[in-house]
């Protein structure tokens, strides 16, 4: 109906290409336009000025001979002041962009190892964007953004990488566990050494107390009983301790057999027998 009354409506974010007798005449912006078709004016087509997106999947290989699929996302739009170039110079914009993306990716990724390709995604995207901007600006298009959204290695390569990562983490865990056990053993040894040191210190103090007690007993007995010598007192003390020990051994349910030279009719020689036993033990 609009063509019948020589009127044309162009929607927002679009432009129309007007021709007169088959020759480019003007770019019609959004709004209502007078189009005298009887004078040879007609609309050759419409061109959107909105940002469009093209996802490109490109298979290539890295420097270490790993085949990967690189997924690039290209955002582009036609320029209003170059709408005629964008409409007439390219017959298939998407195929043209895809060809440039293939060319740049297959020239960039083979120079990188697989790990470097993952780390340098931004550099690859920048190289693609620069090449596209340089090429597509001549055709009236602007490259808004270029993103490398994914790098997909072969499934077996992924599995191998996961196994390597798992083995590495297990090795770290084993080292940490070994270090923990080492620390426990060191602390346990330090505790045992400290325990033995304190035990020896206690035994030494116990013996010192016994010696001090015996000395005080000898001095007190010698002063209270005239005519006794220190040897007589020591003999009596040894005999007393001997019988106390025998009493404790006999009263214990878990006592061991102890063999000491002893005769019922020679109780007075107990002290000398104990000394002889100690001397024999020291010589042995």
């Amino acid at each position: 109906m609009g063509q019948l009354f020589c009127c044309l409506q162009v929607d927002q974010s679009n432009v129309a290409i007007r021709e007169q007798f088959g020759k480019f005449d003007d770019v019609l912006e959004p709004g209502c336009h007078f189009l005298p078709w009887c004078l040879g004016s007609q609309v050759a087509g419409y061109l959107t000025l909105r940002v469009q997106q093209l996802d490109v999947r490109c298979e290539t290989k890295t420097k270490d001979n790993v085949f990967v699929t690189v997924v690039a996302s290209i955002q582009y739009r036609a320029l209003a002041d170059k709408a005629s170039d964008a409409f007439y110079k390219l017959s298939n914009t998407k195929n043209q962009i895809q060809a440039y993306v293939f060319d740049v990716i297959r020239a960039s990724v083979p120079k990188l190892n697989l790990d470097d390709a993952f780390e340098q995604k931004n550099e690859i995207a920048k190289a693609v964007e620069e090449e596209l901007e340089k090429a597509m600006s001549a055709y009236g298009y602007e490259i808004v953004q270029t993103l490398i959204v994914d790098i997909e290695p072969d499934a077996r390569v992924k599995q191998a990488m996961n196994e390597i990562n798992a083995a590495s983490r297990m090795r770290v865990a084993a080292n940490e566990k070994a270090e923990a056990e080492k620390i426990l053993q060191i602390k346990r040894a330090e505790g045992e050494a400290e325990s033995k040191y304190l035990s020896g210190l206690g035994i030494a103090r116990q013996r010192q107390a016994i010696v001090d007690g015996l000395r005080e007993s000898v001095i007190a007995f010698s002063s209270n009983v005239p005519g006794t010598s220190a040897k007589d007192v020591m003999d009596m003390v040894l005999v007393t301790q001997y019988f106390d020990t025998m009493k404790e051994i006999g009263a214990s349910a878990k006592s061991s057999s102890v063999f000491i030279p002893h005769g019922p009719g020679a109780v007075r020689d107990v002290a000398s027998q104990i000394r002889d036993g100690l001397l024999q033990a020291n010589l042995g």
Side-chain angles (χ1 to χ4, degrees):
M1 184 66 68
Q3 290 284 346
L4 180 62
F5 293 101
C6 299
C7 292
L8 175 69
Q9 175 184 317
V10 179
D11 296 333
Q12 184 66 34
S13 299
N14 290 275
V15 292
I17 306 299
R18 185 176 65 185
E19 294 180 346
Q20 189 172 17
F21 296 110
K23 182 181 178 181
F24 171 72
D25 182 35
D26 194 9
V27 175
L28 303 181
E29 296 183 353
C32 184
H33 300 272
F34 178 67
L35 191 69
W37 58 269
C38 57
L39 298 179
S41 294
Q42 62 178 358
V43 175
Y46 295 89
L47 186 67
T48 180
L49 302 180
R50 296 173 182 173
V51 176
Q52 303 179 70
Q53 179 168 311
L54 174 65
D55 293 330
V56 181
R57 299 178 62 89
C58 177
E59 185 178 11
T60 183
K61 74 171 185 175
T62 60
K63 187 177 181 180
D64 46 356
N65 295 322
V66 177
F67 280 90
V68 295
T69 299
V70 180
V71 182
S73 180
I74 314 300
Q75 297 175 355
Y76 65 97
R77 66 181 176 186
L79 298 174
D81 56 345
K82 295 184 178 181
S84 59
D85 293 336
F87 185 81
Y88 287 105
K89 288 187 176 181
L90 287 180
S91 60
N92 195 322
T93 305
K94 293 185 177 180
N95 286 346
Q96 187 75 12
I97 293 176
Q98 182 174 335
Y100 279 110
V101 173
F102 280 177
D103 181 65
V104 176
I105 289 178
R106 288 175 176 170
S108 302
V109 175
K111 298 178 182 179
L112 305 172
N113 292 325
L114 180 59
D115 293 339
D116 296 335
F118 279 99
E119 294 175 0
Q120 300 183 24
K121 288 171 53 177
N122 292 338
E123 285 75 5
I124 298 173
K126 185 177 180 181
V128 173
E129 183 175 350
E130 289 177 353
E131 184 66 23
L132 284 176
E133 185 68 32
K134 182 171 59 177
M136 299 303 294
S137 61
Y139 299 111
Y141 282 92
E142 176 190 10
I143 304 301
V144 179
Q145 185 77 352
T146 301
L147 303 172
I148 301 298
V149 296
D150 197 8
I151 297 178
E152 302 175 356
D154 183 81
R156 290 173 296 179
V157 176
K158 281 186 179 180
Q159 182 179 359
M161 292 173 66
N162 290 333
E163 291 177 354
I164 292 173
N165 189 20
S168 176
R169 293 182 181 275
M170 290 178 64
R171 183 168 59 252
V172 172
N175 289 336
E176 294 295 331
K177 183 178 180 181
E179 286 294 328
E181 292 178 354
K182 177 182 176 182
I183 292 173
L184 287 176
Q185 292 179 359
I186 292 174
K187 293 299 181 182
R188 191 180 297 115
E190 291 177 352
E192 291 178 357
E194 185 70 17
S195 175
K196 290 180 180 178
Y197 170 76
L198 295 175
S199 177
L201 198 60
I203 292 174
R205 290 176 178 176
Q206 180 186 14
R207 291 176 179 175
Q208 183 64 39
I210 292 173
V211 170
D212 293 340
L214 289 174
R215 182 173 63 252
E216 293 176 358
S217 298
V218 170
I219 294 173
F221 195 88
S222 299
S223 61
N224 293 328
V225 181
T228 58
S229 63
K231 179 178 179 301
D232 296 334
V233 177
M234 285 300 300
D235 290 341
M236 187 186 69
V237 171
L238 287 174
V239 170
T240 303
Q241 289 186 346
Y242 168 77
F243 282 112
D244 290 341
T245 303
M246 295 298 292
K247 179 181 178 181
E248 291 179 2
I249 292 174
S252 176
K254 298 182 180 180
S255 61
S256 301
S257 298
V258 179
F259 296 95
I260 298 177
H262 176 70
V267 176
R268 64 181 178 274
D269 295 331
V270 169
S272 62
Q273 292 174 12
I274 293 174
R275 292 195 195 92
D276 292 341
L278 292 173
L279 290 173
Q280 290 176 5
N282 292 332
L283 292 176

